[in-house]
Amino acid sequence: GQSLEQPSEVTAVEGAIVQINCTYQTSGFYGLSWYQQHDGGAPTFLSYNALDGLEETGRFSSFLSRSDSYGYLLLQELQMKDSASYFCAVSRDDKIIFGKGTRLHILP
Amino acid sequence: SQTIHQWPATLVQPVGSPLSLECTVEGTSNPNLYWYRQAAGRGLQLLFYSVGIGQISSEVPQNLSASRPQDRQFILSSKKLLLSDSGFYLCAASRGGEKLFFGSGTQLSVL
């Protein structure tokens, strides 16, 4: 089977940097992706890592280490609008399995 | 780009009643299609996925079923709803497993 672990909540200050970690256990791993979900809305895609290393997209970066079955999402220059839930997800064959999500609280 | 149409936005149904949620996709052909359910404040549980017309894979045994009668149409059904079927239902599409596009979701309340 597959399992993903990520912290349930993280708190950070506006303008700061925050890292959300994700560890996974799965066979036939293809890639790790990240999604953002605001309250009442649908998840939206942020990033995808198939290979080891860092992928940068504006204020957001995502990292993957396949040997450690570990990845993280890095959010820089935090803004109040970044308050949301963040999900990591693993792709295996045609299945995409999500973690339970990390609620990001941002303090002014 | 892909657009996922999902309706209705909210639905209140009595226990034991049937259910049919429809999802249609625009802007791509031969997508992989997915149904997820999300309980309040929880993660996304994969219910069904489909890689082609008539091909359905079930992840969680329950009283729900899915069908894909056309390439860009995905339907979630139940003959008799249970209280535990309440939740936020999301349809999603992908071309290769790298990126999911989600519909706006259906909030189902079973009373």
Side-chain angles (χ1 to χ4, degrees):
Chain A
Q2 301 82 224
S3 68
L4 298 95
E5 295 290 333
Q6 53 181 125
S8 59
E9 292 185 85
V10 172
T11 300
V13 178
E14 188 176 14
I17 299 173
V18 70
Q19 178 174 312
I20 299 174
N21 299 321
C22 175
T23 58
Y24 60 87
Q25 290 185 330
T26 183
S27 57
F29 173 85
Y30 282 1
L32 185 72
S33 52
W34 290 90
Y35 292 80
Q36 179 191 60
Q37 185 182 31
H38 287 98
D39 287 345
T44 57
F45 173 82
L46 293 176
S47 68
Y48 177 78
N49 296 70
L51 303 175
D52 286 359
L54 192 67
E55 295 281 343
E56 298 180 71
T57 308
R59 294 187 297 113
F60 294 0
S61 303
S62 58
F63 172 83
L64 175 65
S65 169
R66 295 174 70 108
S67 61
D68 295 324
S69 298
Y70 162 77
Y72 66 73
L73 179 69
L74 191 72
L75 296 80
Q76 302 182 67
E77 301 174 16
L78 284 171
Q79 302 175 10
M80 296 305 293
K81 68 178 182 179
D82 298 328
S83 295
S85 292
Y86 293 84
F87 296 87
C88 58
V90 294
S91 301
R92 177 196 171 208
D93 298 326
D94 295 304
K95 292 166 53 173
I96 302 176
I97 304 297
F98 282 74
K100 294 183 179 181
T102 298
R103 179 77 185 188
L104 174 60
H105 302 280
I106 299 177
L107 304 175
Chain B
S1 64
Q2 298 183 45
T3 303
I4 316 299
H5 298 282
Q6 189 180 343
W7 66 92
T10 59
L11 188 61
V12 180
Q13 292 285 100
V15 169
S17 63
L19 173 74
S20 181
L21 299 180
E22 186 170 340
C23 168
T24 58
V25 181
E26 289 184 358
T28 187
S29 59
N30 196 30
N32 288 353
L33 297 176
Y34 304 81
W35 277 111
Y36 290 90
R37 179 171 64 196
Q38 186 176 33
R42 306 290 296 276
L44 285 77
Q45 178 187 31
L46 178 61
L47 301 176
F48 301 94
Y49 66 97
S50 170
V51 300
I53 296 173
Q55 300 179 60
I56 307 296
S57 296
S58 174
E59 284 298 295
V60 183
Q62 54 200 333
N63 68 317
L64 299 173
S65 62
S67 62
R68 185 171 178 174
Q70 300 181 44
D71 180 47
R72 288 175 284 180
Q73 184 184 27
F74 204 24
I75 299 171
L76 182 71
S77 303
S78 174
K79 292 182 180 179
K80 289 185 178 182
L81 284 169
L82 306 174
L83 287 174
S84 57
D85 291 324
S86 294
F88 190 43
Y89 287 80
L90 290 155
C91 177
S94 171
R95 280 305 308 276
E98 295 182 12
K99 180 176 182 178
L100 278 173
F101 292 88
F102 283 88
S104 53
T106 296
Q107 184 65 52
L108 172 66
S109 298
V110 182
L111 305 178

